[in-house]
Amino acid sequence: MERTLSIIKPDGVQKNVIGEVVKRFETEGIKIAAMKMIQLSKIQAQGFYEVHKERPFFDSLTDFMTSGPIVVMVLEGDDVIARNRKLMGATNFKDAEEGTIRKDYATDIEKNVVHGSDAPETAAFEIAYFFNGLEIQNR
Ligand code: GDP
């Protein structure tokens, strides 16, 4: 059993595809162990994307991530980090495989609907960034 952090980014919430994204997880047998809707401040977004602070798109990305509400979730299941990444598709929707979330809903390399942790260490950091232990259910 593994956990990962998933975010439906502001563009995904705006496009009204929260249910569609959640359905894809549940259809794959992935369980939602925690879930909430929040809106990040600039400082909170910068802290979350700290690893990208030297990238040229850091300021634009953190502006985008604060531009509206997001849905943050802890997903639980076997090999869920990799399975979620596969459901998401490539960072750039133009490179994403058919049937992935980003291929179906993303419109831009930055506005790409979903975030998912890419490794166990980042998952641990990212889950703890948004949720305390009492907010996460063992499913
Ligand atoms: P991910 O793990 O697939 O989300 O991709 P990365 O960790 O490489 O990048 C984090 C996020 O930054 C992506 O999901 C995009 O929202 C954004 N991003 C990545 N590359 C670019 C880029 O070249 N330009 C812009 N504007 N945003 C980018």
Side-chain angles (χ1 to χ4, degrees):
M1 199 280 289
E2 194 173 67
R3 285 178 175 164
T4 192
L5 186 86
S6 169
I7 304 179
I8 304 176
K9 296 183 180 185
D11 60 324
V13 174
Q14 182 70 35
K15 285 174 185 146
N16 247 358
V17 295
I18 297 170
E20 182 59 40
V21 172
V22 168
K23 185 174 153 197
R24 291 176 185 220
F25 297 149
E26 293 192 329
T27 300
E28 286 296 310
I30 292 170
K31 292 181 174 172
I32 293 167
M35 184 180 211
K36 62 187 167 190
M37 183 182 277
I38 56 169
Q39 183 157 358
L40 290 174
S41 69
K42 181 79 172 173
I43 285 174
Q44 290 167 336
Q46 288 168 333
F48 180 70
Y49 279 118
E50 173 82 22
V51 292
H52 291 316
K53 68 171 187 287
E54 305 301 339
R55 302 273 202 103
F57 55 82
F58 182 68
D59 197 44
S60 169
L61 174 62
T62 51
D63 273 350
F64 162 57
M65 289 299 290
T66 63
S67 67
I70 60 173
V71 174
V72 283
M73 289 172 274
V74 177
L75 306 182
E76 195 173 275
D78 291 333
D79 202 25
V80 74
I81 295 173
R83 285 164 67 206
N84 178 44
R85 298 282 304 184
K86 193 162 170 54
L87 289 173
M88 288 162 57
T91 307
N92 188 344
F93 72 103
K94 292 179 180 163
D95 302 328
E97 280 182 40
E98 291 297 329
T100 60
I101 295 167
R102 284 167 166 170
K103 182 72 172 185
D104 289 347
Y105 300 114
T107 51
D108 185 284
I109 189 167
E110 182 174 270
K111 296 174 182 61
N112 58 3
V113 187
V114 278
H115 167 87
S117 313
D118 62 2
E121 308 73 52
T122 46
F125 167 80
E126 293 179 356
I127 289 169
Y129 199 81
F130 289 107
F131 295 97
N132 68 47
L134 287 173
E135 295 173 311
I136 305 171
Q137 311 309 317
N138 280 311
R139 298 201 45 206

